[in-house]
Amino acid sequence: MTAQEPGGKPEQSGVDLARVALRAAREQARARGDAARQKKQARRGGGLRSGARADGRDPMALGAAINRLLTERGWEAPAAVGGAMGRWPQIVGEDVAKHCEPERYDEDERVLVVRCDSTAWATNLRLLAPTLVARLNEDLGHGAVRQIKVQGPSGPARRYGPLRAPGSKGPGDTYG
């Protein structure tokens, strides 16, 4: 006869503990056997196998790999704007594209900076900016570009050399 614990349950003897341990070991072995059986079935053709059909182990196409990288890194908007910069003549028209070209895109402020070759074209593009923003957002997705910052032509680079007076700013000194 077995002794009883204070709570009213009988205390298990060595033979009973052995039976419980054996039962637990059999359940674990059965679970491991099921896992091994599933692996064998997968190898035989029930799951992972090499062959004509695509699976997760196959190499990715270059386009799919690039799209996945863009998505993982959060580069969709800058890449889309870069694509729009490449298609600038189709977006704004050939005539405008001859005189104005996009320089850079600020992702944080969503501002596209465009440089024009004359002040007249810069003024013209400033007037067209709201239309271009709408056209770009239609192409790239809503809110990709908030503003187009138009810059006019830049002056020639300042040259410094032995014939310059110290502190001189070049022709700007004379013409203001």
Side-chain angles (χ1 to χ4, degrees):
M1 187 160 201
T2 60
Q4 286 199 352
E5 291 180 1
K9 291 183 182 176
E11 189 178 309
Q12 294 182 342
S13 65
V15 174
D16 294 328
L17 288 173
R19 284 186 188 131
V20 170
L22 180 62
R23 190 176 314 125
R26 283 182 179 162
E27 288 174 5
Q28 289 176 354
R30 191 174 304 124
R32 280 194 309 265
D34 288 342
R37 215 173 301 120
Q38 288 173 354
K39 282 184 184 177
K40 280 183 183 179
Q41 287 175 349
R43 274 190 241 132
R44 285 186 193 145
L48 295 175
R49 69 182 196 136
S50 179
R53 292 186 200 105
D55 64 7
R57 301 175 300 156
D58 288 341
M60 294 178 77
L62 181 61
I66 289 173
N67 287 337
R68 181 174 162 192
L69 179 68
L70 291 174
T71 303
E72 286 175 357
R73 304 283 172 123
W75 294 340
E76 293 101 345
V81 172
M85 288 176 152
R87 295 187 324 268
W88 184 252
Q90 289 88 12
I91 294 171
V92 298
E94 293 291 330
D95 196 32
V96 175
K98 287 179 191 174
H99 301 284
C100 306
E101 64 180 44
E103 273 193 349
R104 67 181 177 276
Y105 174 70
D106 185 1
E107 182 182 358
D108 297 330
E109 296 180 19
R110 298 182 189 165
V111 174
L112 179 65
V113 178
V114 178
R115 177 149 328 259
C116 297
D117 62 0
S118 70
T119 54
W121 275 103
T123 302
N124 189 19
L125 196 66
R126 283 186 190 101
L127 295 172
L128 291 173
T131 307
L132 291 178
V133 168
R135 201 178 294 170
L136 285 166
N137 284 331
E138 185 179 300
D139 188 42
L140 304 173
H142 184 68
V145 177
R146 288 185 186 163
Q147 179 184 5
I148 293 180
K149 186 175 181 181
V150 180
Q151 295 180 343
S154 60
R158 298 211 171 155
R159 297 184 351 206
Y160 298 98
L163 300 177
R164 298 272 179 204
S168 170
K169 295 180 183 173
D173 284 347
T174 311
Y175 301 110

